[in-house]
Amino acid sequence: MDSSINSAKKANAQKSRSTSLNITKWIFATLIVAVIGLAGSFIGGTFYPNPWTVEKLEDQFHKKELSEVHLLGLEEPEFEYTDKESFLQATLKCVQYLNYTTDRLSRVPTSIIIAMAGVESGWGTSRFATEGNALFGVRTWDENTPRMKAKGNPDAAWGVKKYVTKCQSVQDMISILNRHPAYEEFRIEREKQIDKGKWDYRALMVRMNAWSTNPEYAEIILQAIVDNKLP
């Protein structure tokens, strides 16, 4: 009887050791595969970057940014200014805030936005800017949209859109560039520049000619960037 019990115990112990050994081997093999996979990803990512992987990581990073904005409770900054310099700073703060809530592929270079806002609104002094918070003179033919008529053309079918805040005017400008068919070439060029990791303001501005009827508009904005030492 005792002999049978001892034999059973020995058999169970041997089975247990065998099972543990198999589990250890499986864990070890899994670790090796994982290490090889990570090493391959590191080497491949270092010497032969995978665009899909890079884009996925960037999207994850942007989602993290949006999550942080939500957690921090960030709100649209006040757009306060008394002169040209403070107008530049107010516009910059607005753009920085909007960039947190705008997909990186849909962003517009900060310097272009600031220069356009300044030129279009007389650096925040125009009637449209002071009375309607309109920094870019965006026109609308929709009678149900809040708008202002130009003093020199009060009977026109269109008016300049009004906004609750000036930062909302900036947001609308970015939205127009991202959706309007007239700026498709701008969006294509922007995507190329994002892939290269470097902005070419001139190449972008010449693809935004639809924004103004002035044939020199691109040069005016580019000069404003230089004159005001925008990055």
Side-chain angles (χ1 to χ4, degrees):
M1 183 71 173
D2 292 339
S3 177
S4 298
I5 293 174
N6 289 334
S7 297
K9 286 182 177 180
K10 289 180 181 180
N12 288 334
Q14 185 176 4
K15 184 178 179 181
S16 178
R17 285 195 298 272
S18 178
T19 300
S20 298
L21 181 60
N22 288 335
I23 292 174
T24 302
K25 289 180 178 179
W26 180 83
I27 293 174
F28 183 69
T30 302
L31 287 173
I32 290 176
V33 172
V35 170
I36 293 174
L38 288 172
S41 298
F42 175 77
I43 295 173
T46 302
F47 299 105
Y48 304 100
N50 185 321
W52 182 84
T53 302
V54 172
E55 183 176 345
K56 185 177 180 180
L57 289 173
E58 289 174 338
D59 288 342
Q60 290 176 347
F61 180 76
H62 181 61
K63 288 179 181 178
K64 182 181 178 182
E65 283 183 328
L66 295 180
S67 176
E68 289 175 351
V69 169
H70 178 71
L71 290 174
L72 292 173
L74 296 184
E75 298 180 352
E76 179 183 306
E78 294 291 335
F79 206 109
E80 298 178 348
Y81 60 95
T82 55
D83 53 22
K84 183 178 180 179
E85 185 60 33
S86 56
F87 176 86
L88 291 169
Q89 292 301 316
T91 309
L92 174 61
K93 289 180 181 178
C94 169
V95 176
Q96 289 175 334
Y97 163 77
L98 293 174
N99 278 343
Y100 272 114
T101 56
T102 302
D103 183 88
R104 67 178 190 86
L105 298 178
S106 301
R107 296 173 183 172
V108 178
T110 302
S111 295
I112 288 180
I113 295 177
I114 295 176
M116 287 180 62
V119 170
E120 294 278 355
S121 69
W123 306 102
T125 63
S126 71
R127 181 172 69 92
F128 293 130
T130 57
E131 297 179 16
N133 291 319
L135 300 179
F136 301 93
V138 176
R139 296 183 181 185
T140 179
W141 281 258
D142 183 0
E143 295 182 356
N144 296 318
T145 298
R147 57 183 185 169
M148 297 174 61
K149 290 297 186 74
K151 284 186 175 181
N153 197 359
D155 298 325
W158 55 269
V160 172
K161 288 178 68 173
K162 296 174 64 176
Y163 301 89
V164 176
T165 67
K166 291 179 175 63
C167 202
Q168 288 183 16
S169 173
V170 177
Q171 186 175 32
D172 191 35
M173 175 266 196
I174 295 172
S175 177
I176 291 171
L177 291 177
N178 282 321
R179 73 173 189 272
H180 199 286
Y183 305 105
E184 183 177 0
E185 290 188 9
F186 164 82
R187 294 191 289 270
I188 293 173
E189 176 62 26
R190 177 180 59 187
E191 184 175 354
K192 293 178 181 177
Q193 293 188 22
I194 290 175
D195 289 340
K196 291 180 180 179
K198 185 177 181 180
W199 289 125
D200 180 344
Y201 296 154
R202 182 175 297 279
L204 291 172
M205 285 304 309
V206 297
R207 290 167 173 79
M208 291 172 57
N209 288 332
W211 197 273
S212 173
T213 57
N214 187 341
E216 301 298 322
Y217 187 72
E219 293 300 324
I220 292 173
I221 299 303
L222 291 170
Q223 191 60 49
I225 292 175
V226 173
D227 292 344
N228 293 282
K229 298 180 176 61
L230 301 177

